[in-house]
């Protein structure tokens, strides 16, 4: 990616932010300090007469055509140059929501962490709940034979909205852990017969039917939801990701390279990508996706993409906000 491409990326961000300054656009600036820094650059770079022309032009142009307007592009470029002169960095927050079925999140979270409390979010009948929770505690204790017996009894009782499918997914998982992969696949097929949308059953089936199924039991391989992106990030820039409950506290995602596994889902989740850099050397996000697949957990390398839950950056439900910082990027 050349310098002009980076400038085109930041030109769009700054134009949207300038719309906030002149009261003509959506609110993308996140805080008073950022607004003050941009306004100062705007006032220093653009004389009052041209500010009036700029504001008037924004009334009649929008979208991509605004960037192609000679006047608007010139103003934006001059403001960008002033931001560079003042060593102001740009921070873009790209946020998108993802929804998951409650049963699938409970099963996924349990399979990843073996925390029995995750299964309390299932809607089960009284008898099946007792067996499910006993089986979960057995998994926690690495007693996979006892876990299998409990989950298989749960399939026989299978009361509640989630009981029939969830108990079979769990029976499949317990059988896989004890090395009975053929039995695990039978339970996977039963679960999918009841509900073809239950991707946690497919996840267990991938592990049980894999040619290296034993490596899943050893912890080298895993079925995970993971984030992967393609981006051009200059040395002076940075790109980070956080994930968590929508409207709640987001947790930083970590990995190796551009693959970041997610160990805990929420029915209403939020993914935030934060891009930081200078106006002339700003990261360019080409694409990303949130997927289910096989990962080599030791080196955080994805082996497969089995299902895509999100892909972007152009997608529904995205919001973008902008911050400006007068500490030269990378100096702190």
């Amino acid at each position: 990616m050349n310098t002009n491409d980076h400038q085109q990326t930041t030109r769009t961000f700054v134009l949207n932010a300038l719309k906030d300054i002149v009261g003509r656009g959506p609110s993308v600036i996140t805080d008073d300090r950022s607004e003050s820094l941009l306004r100062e650059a705007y006032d220093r770079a653009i004389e009052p007469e041209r500010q009036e022309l700029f504001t008037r032009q924004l009334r009649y142009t929008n979208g991509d055509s605004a960037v192609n307007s000679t006047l608007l592009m010139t103003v934006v470029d001059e403001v960008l140059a002033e931001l560079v002169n003042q060593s102001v960095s740009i921070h873009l927050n790209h946020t998108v929501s993802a929804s998951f079925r409650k049963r699938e999140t409970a099963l996924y979270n349990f399979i990843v962490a073996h925390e029995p409390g995750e299964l309390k979010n299932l809607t089960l009948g009284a008898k099946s709940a007792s067996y499910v929770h006993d089986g979960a505690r057995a998994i926690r204790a690495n007693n996979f034979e006892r876990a299998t017996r409990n989950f298989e009894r749960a399939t026989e009782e299978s009361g509640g909205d989630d009981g029939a499918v969830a108990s079979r997914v769990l029976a499949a998982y317990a059988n896989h852990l004890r090395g009975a992969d053929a039995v695990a696949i039978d339970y996977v097929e039963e679960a999918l017969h009841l509900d073809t949308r239950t991707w946690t059953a497919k996840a267990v089936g991938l592990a049980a039917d894999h040619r290296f199924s034993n490596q899943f039991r050893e912890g080298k391989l895993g079925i995970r939801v993971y984030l992967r992106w393609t981006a051009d990030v200059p040395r002076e820039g940075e790109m980070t990701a956080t994930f968590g409950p929508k409207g709640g506290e987001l947790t930083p995602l970590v990995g190796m390279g551009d693959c970041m596994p997610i160990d805990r889902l929420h029915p209403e989740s939020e993914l935030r990508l934060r891009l930081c850099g200078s106006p002339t050397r700003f990261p360019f996000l080409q694409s990303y996706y949130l997927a289910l697949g096989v990962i080599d957990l030791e080196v955080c390398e994805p082996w497969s993409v089995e299902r895509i839950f999100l892909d972007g950056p152009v997608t529904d439900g995205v919001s973008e906000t902008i911050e400006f910082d007068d500490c030269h990027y990378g100096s702190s």
Side-chain angles (χ1 to χ4, degrees):
M1 186 175 183
N2 60 40
T3 301
N4 289 334
D5 291 327
H6 284 281
Q7 289 176 337
Q8 184 60 39
T9 300
T10 51
R11 183 181 287 141
T12 302
F13 302 154
V14 171
L15 175 61
N16 289 334
L18 286 171
K19 289 179 181 179
D20 279 1
I21 296 296
V22 300
R24 298 290 173 187
S27 273
V28 297
I29 300 177
T30 61
D31 57 272
D32 293 341
R33 178 58 180 161
S34 293
E35 181 176 349
S36 176
L37 286 170
L38 182 61
R39 187 177 295 279
E40 289 172 6
Y42 180 58
D43 289 340
R44 281 193 297 266
I46 311 300
E47 61 273 18
E49 294 79 7
R50 291 176 67 222
Q51 288 187 14
E52 291 182 9
L53 290 173
F54 179 76
T55 302
R56 191 178 307 125
Q57 184 71 21
L58 286 177
R59 294 178 181 175
Y60 304 107
T61 54
N62 53 38
D64 295 337
S65 61
V67 179
N68 295 327
S69 164
T70 301
L71 171 64
L72 298 186
M73 187 167 61
T74 300
V75 168
V76 169
D77 285 344
E78 291 178 9
V79 172
L80 276 168
E82 183 60 32
L83 291 172
V84 172
N85 288 339
Q86 299 299 318
S87 295
V88 172
S89 60
I90 300 176
H91 308 261
L92 176 74
N93 296 307
H94 176 99
T95 305
V96 61
S97 299
S99 296
F100 302 93
R101 297 165 74 190
K102 290 183 178 180
R103 184 186 70 212
E104 299 300 287
T105 61
L107 291 171
Y108 176 81
N109 294 341
F110 174 74
I111 288 170
V112 170
H114 292 183
E115 288 291 344
E118 297 290 351
L119 297 183
K120 292 180 179 179
N121 295 320
L122 295 173
T123 302
L124 304 169
K127 287 186 177 180
S128 59
S130 177
Y131 288 123
V132 163
H133 296 314
D134 284 348
R137 288 191 289 270
I139 291 278
R140 182 68 173 173
N142 293 324
N143 189 336
F144 304 135
E145 296 290 342
R146 182 161 66 89
T148 299
R149 290 194 298 271
N150 276 282
F151 290 141
E152 290 182 344
R153 288 295 303 274
T155 67
E156 298 168 5
E157 301 294 343
S158 64
D161 295 342
D162 296 327
V165 173
S167 60
R168 283 165 172 79
V169 173
L170 292 167
Y173 183 58
N175 274 290
H176 164 64
L177 290 178
R178 74 183 182 94
D181 287 323
V183 180
I185 292 169
D186 287 341
Y187 277 112
V188 165
E189 291 176 350
E190 288 184 20
L192 289 171
H193 178 74
L194 294 170
D195 184 356
T196 57
R197 297 180 301 162
T198 179
W199 54 264
T200 49
K202 294 180 180 179
V204 175
L206 284 170
D209 199 35
H210 201 277
R211 58 176 177 153
F212 299 129
S213 61
N214 201 48
Q215 293 189 13
F216 289 85
R217 288 183 280 272
E218 294 169 351
K220 173 176 171 53
L221 298 180
I223 299 292
R224 291 290 188 276
V225 175
Y226 63 90
L227 171 68
R228 199 173 193 193
W229 67 49
T230 301
D232 181 8
V233 182
R235 186 175 60 181
E236 305 90 340
E238 182 181 47
M239 181 171 167
T240 58
T242 53
F243 186 87
K246 188 175 182 178
E249 183 177 356
L250 304 185
T251 302
L253 296 181
V254 296
M256 298 175 66
D258 60 355
C259 176
M260 299 184 172
I262 294 173
D263 292 337
R264 194 168 196 279
L265 299 177
H266 308 267
E268 296 301 323
S269 295
E270 194 166 82
L271 170 67
R272 180 170 300 154
L273 304 178
R274 183 172 172 85
L275 290 72
C276 307
S278 71
T280 56
R281 297 293 292 166
F282 194 81
F284 177 71
L285 176 61
Q286 295 168 303
S287 64
Y288 66 84
Y289 58 82
L290 193 69
L292 174 74
V294 176
I295 288 185
D296 184 327
L297 297 173
E298 292 181 348
V299 296
C300 209
E301 178 185 358
W303 281 22
S304 71
V305 176
E306 304 297 336
R307 177 169 180 157
I308 293 179
F309 299 106
L310 278 179
D311 59 52
V314 180
T315 187
D316 294 335
V318 170
S319 67
E320 292 187 334
T321 58
I322 303 169
E323 303 167 18
F324 297 92
D325 189 345
D326 57 352
C327 295
H328 183 66
Y329 188 75
S331 64
S332 58

